[in-house]
Amino acid sequence: MKFPKINLDKLKNEGTGSVTAQERRKFLKLGLTVAGVYAGGKILSLTSAISTVHASGGGADFIKKYPYNPHYSMIIRQSLCIDCEKCVDACNSTNQVPEPNYRTRILTKKYTGKLDKQVEFIPVLCNQCNNAPCVRACPTRATYKDPVTGIVRMESKKCIGCKTCMLACPYDARYFSVERRAVDKCDFCWEKRLSKGEKQTGCSAACPTGSRTFGNLTDPENIVYKLIHQLEEQVWVIRPADDTKPNVFYMKGNMRSVENILNEQKFKYFDPNIKS
Amino acid sequence: MTGRMVNISKKWGFHGVEALKDASPGYKMVMGFFVLLTLAGLAVGLHALFVGYHHVYGVTRQISWGIMISAYIFCVVTSTGLCIVSSIGHVFGGEAFMPIAKRAVFMSIIFMFGGFCIIFFDIENPFRMAIWNVFSPNFASNMWWMGTLYGAYLVFMVIEYYFLLDQNHTLSRLMGFFGLVVGIAAHSNLGAVFGMLHGRPFWYGPYLPIYFIFSAAMSGGCAILFFTTLGWKINPEIMNQRMERAVKAVTQITIFLISVIIFFTIWKILTGMVSEGKQLVLMSLLTGSYAVNFWVFEIFLGMFLPLYLLIRSKGNNFNLILWATGLMMIGIFFMRYDIVVPGQMESVYHSLGVVEEANLLTYTPTFHEIMGSLFGIGFIGLAYFAGEKMLNGHQLEEHEIVPEGGYICPGCGAIHFMEEGETEEDAMKRHHRIW
Ligand code: SF4
Ligand code: SF4
Ligand code: SF4
C-alpha cells in the first residue's frame, strides 16, 4: 500500500504498516499529521501519536510545546513484555490495591499464521488522557486532570460512586475501591512515588525487561522522548478513534532498535520543536 | 357572565387516612402486599448497604450498571412521560386530556420518588451527592445536569400538584409548563449520559437523547391508561363521559407513540447492523443471550401486543386497555434493561482482539439487586393504591361555575347549554350526537 499523494481527507483506514520510514519522514517534513490512520483500530502512525498528546493538535500545525512539564508518559514496548506480571504485583503493593481489583493488567494477543511470534502481551493501564472522558463525565469533579502534572487523579471524598466514569473510560482503567469508598485508578504512582521524588512508577521500576518505560515527554534527553520521536519504528495508541489523546504509547520495540535509537547511531529521532 | 357554583364532586380532594380504613378487605390485602414488598425491599437494600454492595450485587468493574439503574431509568422515564402526556391537557389546553391531569401529576411525582428509592441503594455514597453536587459542580457532566434538573423537575411537579389541589389553575399551569421544560431537559440529559460516551458505540450518538423523549411519552401514555383503568376497577365512579373521552384520546396518542417507537427500533437495528461496534451487541439482542428479552418482552409485550389490543379496544374497552397497558409496563421495563446492560457487554478491549476479552461480558442480576429494585416498585404501588383512596380517584374539579342557561351533564360531566324551549334531556341528546 502506498500513499501516492498526501491528502488527509482521502486517507483510508488501511493501516500504516507498509509506510516506509522514508515516507514517514516526508510526512514530517511537510508538517502533516496523519491522525486517524489505523488498522484494526489500533495502529497509529508516528506523527499522529505526537499530535495526539497535544492538547489542541490537529491540522498542519505542530504545537511547539507539550501541555505539561514534566509531561509524564509511558511507552510500552510490546514485544518485550513476557507476562511475568511483576508490574501488576508491584502496583498492587505500592498502591494498596487488594484483589480482585487492579490498576493495570496484561492482555494476551494470539496470532495465527505467523511463525516468528505467536503470542504478544499488551500491558494496559490508565492513559492519563489529555482529553479524558472520565473527567468530563464526573458530576462532582471527584476525578480531575491535575493542571500541573497532567495526571488524572481522584479526590476520593467527592466521589458519589455513580460509576459514570467507569463507563466513560474507554480503557477500563477504573474500579470502585471499597477501601477508599470511591472510584480508584492508576495515578502514575503520583501519591506513592512521584510526589515523593521518585522518578519511576512502581510498575516500570519492577519491569525486568524494560517493556514499560516511564518518563518525561518534554525532555529531549529522556528515553520516553527519544522512543516516541524516533523515525524507525511505529508508535501507536490504543483506541485512537475515541480521541482521548492518551499518554501511554505503544511500539513493538525490540532491544536492538532501542539501543540504536539511544545511541543515535543509525537513526535520527524526530524533534517536533524544530520545523524542517 | 353570571353563573352559579355547582359542586360536581361530593368527595373531592384529600380524604385522609380515614378513607383507607373504609376500604374493602381485598383492597387492604393488596395494599398490605405492597407494604410488605416495600419493607422487604428496604430490608434487603439495607442489608446490602451493611455488608457492602460488592459482595451481594452482580455488577462488576466492566458492567457497572445493572438492573437497578435499569429500574431507576424505568421509573424516571415513566415519570417524565406522565408529565409530557398530561401536559397536553392542563398546560396546553387540550380539553380532552384535562381529566387525567391530577392522577398523572400525582403518579409522576410518585414514580420520581420510586426512582430515587432505587438509586439510593445503587449509588455508593448518596449522601455525598447532596453536598458535592452543589459545592463542586461539573457543568460539562451530563450526570450533573441530570441530577440537578430532575431535582428541579420534582420541585415544580410538587408545586404544580399543590396548585391543582388548590384549584389554582393559572399557577398550576405555569408550574406545569416549567415542570415540562425542565423534565424534558432532564430526561434528554439522561439519554445523553449514555449518548455522550465515546467509547461505547452501542450508546454513542444523538439517538438516545431523542429516543428517550419519545419513549418517555409512550411510557407516559401507557401509564396513564393503566392507572386510570385500574382506578376505574377500584372505583367505577371515576368514569364519566369526560373521563371516557380522555381515555380514548390517550389511547389514540399511545397507539401513535408505540408506532413511533417501533419505527425507532427498526432503524436502530438496521443502522446498527452496518456498524462494527454495534453489530455484536445487536446480534446478541436478535439471536443471542438477550433474544428472549428483546423479542418476547421488548417487542411482543412492549409494542406489538399492546398495539393490537389498544387498537381493538377502540379506546372504550377498559378491561382490554388495562391488560394491554399492564403487560406493556412489563415490556417497557425490559426495553430499559435492553439499553443499559447490553450496552456494556462488549469490553472496551474487545476490538483489540485479545484473548481475555474475546467473549461478550455477562451480567446476571442478584437477589439483592432485584429486591432493591422492587423497593422502588413496591413504594410506587403502595402510593398508588393509597392515593386512589385518599385522594378519591383524583377527580379534577371540586366545583365548576356554571353559566346562565347551562347545566352540568350528568353523563359526561361537561357543561351543556340549552337552546330556547329545550329540556335538559333534549340538550343532552343533541350534544351527544357527535359522540
Ligand atoms: S484512561 Fe480512562 S481513567 Fe485514565 S484518563 Fe483516560 S478515561 Fe480517564
Ligand atoms: S463514580 Fe465518583 S469519580 Fe466516578 S463519575 Fe461518579 S462521582 Fe465521579
Ligand atoms: S503507574 Fe503506578 S499506579 Fe499506574 S499501573 Fe503503574 S504502578 Fe500502578
Side-chain angles (χ1 to χ4, degrees), chain A residues 72 86 96 136 188 217:
Chain A
Y72 294 114
K86 288 208 158 87
Q96 283 116 41
R136 188 196 66 79
F188 267 170
L217 196 53

Side-chain angles (χ1 to χ4, degrees), chain B residues 70-98:
Chain B
S70 314
Y72 164 75
I73 288 174
F74 170 76
C75 290
V76 299
V77 168
T78 310
S79 173
T80 320
L82 285 162
C83 166
I84 294 174
V85 175
S86 70
S87 70
I88 301 174
H90 68 102
V91 175
F92 297 111
E95 181 64 38
F97 288 82
M98 291 290 193

